[in-house]
Amino acid sequence: MAKMMTEFSLIQRYFSRHSSTAELLSVGDDAAMLTPPLGHQLLACTDTLVAGRHFPLNTHPHAIGWKSVAVNLSDIAAMGGTAHSILLALSLPQIDEPWLQHFSDGLYACCEQFGVKLIGGDTTQSPQLSIGISALGFVPQGQGIPRSGAQVGDLIVLSGTVGDAAYALAQLKHQPDSAQQPLRHRLDYPTPRCTLGQQLAGIASSMIDVSDGLAQDLNHILTASKVGAVIELDHLPLSATLQHLPESEKWQYALCGGDDYELCFTISPQHYYALRAQPLPVNIQVIGQIQAQAGLQLLHAGSALDTSVQNLYLNGYQHFA
Ligand code: ADP
Ligand code: MG
C-alpha cells in the first residue's frame, strides 16, 4: 500500500505496544528478528479471518481481535508447541478509529493472556475486512506432535466441551439480536488450550485442534495415521446447554460443529494414566480408541449405531448451518 502518514501513525498508535528488546527486534524494522531457544524447532502457521465468513458481521471488534489470535495459538498448541509471537496482515476497508481501538485491545488481551508478542505485520486498504495472522512457536527438538502418529490401541482424548460454538452460531442466525445467549462467548472468545498442548509434547502420539468439527478433524488424524477409530457418544463432553438438547441434535453439534478450538489427541494408555496424575489446566475426557479397521465407528451405550443413523449424525451439519 502507498505509505501515507495515516498508515504509519495507525501502526504506531494501535499495533506497537510490544517494543523491541535486545533479543527481539519487533514492529518498526523491515523484519522481526528473534533468537530460537537452543534445542528447539520452529513452528509456523497462519490463518485468515474474513468478515461474514469466519465471524458474524455483528461480532464486536474486541472479540474479532481476540479470536484472530486465539485460532492461531490453537494451531501451535495442537503441535505441542509454545507460542512465541504473531504477525498481523490487516486489510481494512477504511480507517475506523473506535473499531481499531477495540480490535487492538482484543488482540493484545489474547497475546497477554498467553505470553505472546505482536512482532510485525502489514496494513493495507481493501474493500473487505480481512485479518491474517501468522503465529510462531517453539517445541523441543523431536517432540512436536504430528497428525500421523496415532497407533492402534491408543486412547482418543478431547479437552473441554464440543459443539458449543456451532450451537451459538445457530442461535445467532435465529435471533440475531441475542448477544447475551449463554454460549456466545464460546464462539467469540475461544480459549486456545496452550498449556495442555505444551504438556502433551513428546507424550501424545497425534493431535489436532477442533476447528472444523470433531468428526472431520479426527478423520484427518485417522487418514494421516492410516488407522480407524471407535467413539462412544455417551462419552462426548457436552456443556449443560447441549446436554439438554434432543439426542440427534446434540450429537450433530458435538460431532460436526466447528470453531470450538479444543484439542483432540491420541495417547497410549500408560501415558494417559501418567498425564491424569498431573494437574491439568482443563478437563479432558477419553471418548474412544484407535483401531486397525479403517473409518470412524460410532457407539451409543456400547452398541454400534445403524449406518443410516451414523451417517445422519456425521453429515448433519447442513441441518443447523
Ligand atoms: P515495509 O515497507 O518494510 O514492508 P511497513 O511499512 O509495511 O514496512 O511496516 C512497517 C513496520 O510496521 C514493520 O516492522 C511491520 O512489521 C510493522 N507493521 C505493519 N503493519 C502492522 C500491523 N498491522 N501490525 C503490526 N505490525 C505492523
Ligand atoms: Mg521494508
Side-chain angles (χ1 to χ4, degrees), residues 3 8 11 15 27-30 88 90 118 120-123:
K3 303 291 180 290
F8 290 123
I11 297 165
F15 300 112
V27 173
D29 245 289
D30 286 312
L88 166 66
L90 188 58
L118 174 62
D122 188 34
T123 308

Side-chain angles (χ1 to χ4, degrees), residues 21-289:
T21 61
E23 317 81 70
L24 176 71
L25 275 191
S26 191
V27 173
D29 245 289
D30 286 312
M33 184 164 70
L34 52 105
T35 309
L38 216 59
H40 285 67
Q41 286 173 292
L42 174 68
L43 299 168
C45 63
T46 191
D47 241 320
T48 301
L49 281 79
V50 175
R53 172 113 49 102
H54 299 103
F55 52 85
L57 288 171
N58 72 353
T59 305
H60 193 282
H62 188 278
I64 299 172
W66 174 283
K67 186 167 179 172
S68 322
V69 179
V71 302
N72 279 280
L73 302 190
S74 178
D75 280 328
I76 298 287
M79 298 299 295
T82 300
H84 176 275
S85 42
I86 59 163
L87 297 125
L88 166 66
L90 188 58
S91 301
L92 297 168
Q94 75 269 321
I95 295 178
D96 173 345
E97 294 230 27
W99 189 95
L100 279 163
Q101 187 63 57
H102 290 305
F103 172 79
S104 68
D105 284 347
L107 176 143
Y108 279 108
C110 191
C111 285
E112 254 119 66
Q113 172 118 13
F114 298 101
V116 165
K117 288 195 163 142
L118 174 62
I119 59 166
D122 188 34
T123 308
T124 57
Q125 194 180 12
S126 97
Q128 193 165 29
L129 169 64
S130 125
I131 301 129
I133 292 201
S134 303
L136 303 176
F138 298 106
V139 66
Q141 181 86 34
Q143 296 201 359
I145 306 167
R147 295 179 181 182
S148 57
Q151 304 284 326
V152 173
D154 282 351
L155 304 175
I156 303 167
V157 186
L158 195 57
S159 69
T161 57
V162 282
D164 298 337
Y167 178 80
L169 185 62
Q171 295 304 104
L172 203 61
K173 284 182 176 161
H174 299 139
Q175 308 153 275
D177 311 324
S178 61
Q180 296 313 317
Q181 41 156 309
L183 292 175
R184 181 73 194 264
H185 71 284
R186 293 276 291 152
L187 178 65
D188 285 348
Y189 288 94
T191 304
R193 302 302 184 188
C194 296
T195 309
L196 179 64
Q198 288 169 43
Q199 268 178 286
L200 293 169
I203 290 174
S205 55
S206 71
M207 180 145 64
I208 193 165
D209 66 323
V210 180
S211 53
D212 295 331
L214 174 63
Q216 195 172 318
D217 289 321
L218 176 58
N219 217 37
H220 291 314
I221 286 185
L222 303 183
T223 306
S225 303
K226 302 190 176 69
V227 291
V230 56
I231 295 285
E232 171 55 73
L233 291 179
D234 287 336
H235 293 169
L236 292 180
L238 303 182
S239 62
T241 308
L242 259 70
Q243 272 168 27
H244 291 108
L245 295 179
E247 291 265 306
S248 86
E249 215 179 313
K250 72 179 167 193
W251 304 137
Q252 287 175 43
Y253 280 120
L255 291 163
C256 307
D259 257 8
D260 285 313
Y261 301 99
E262 294 298 344
L263 292 177
C264 176
F265 58 96
T266 61
I267 184 168
S268 70
Q270 298 90 307
H271 278 136
Y272 175 72
Y273 294 116
L275 180 70
R276 285 247 72 134
Q278 302 170 27
L280 293 170
V282 57
N283 281 333
I284 60 170
Q285 167 87 39
V286 175
I287 59 166
Q289 200 160 25

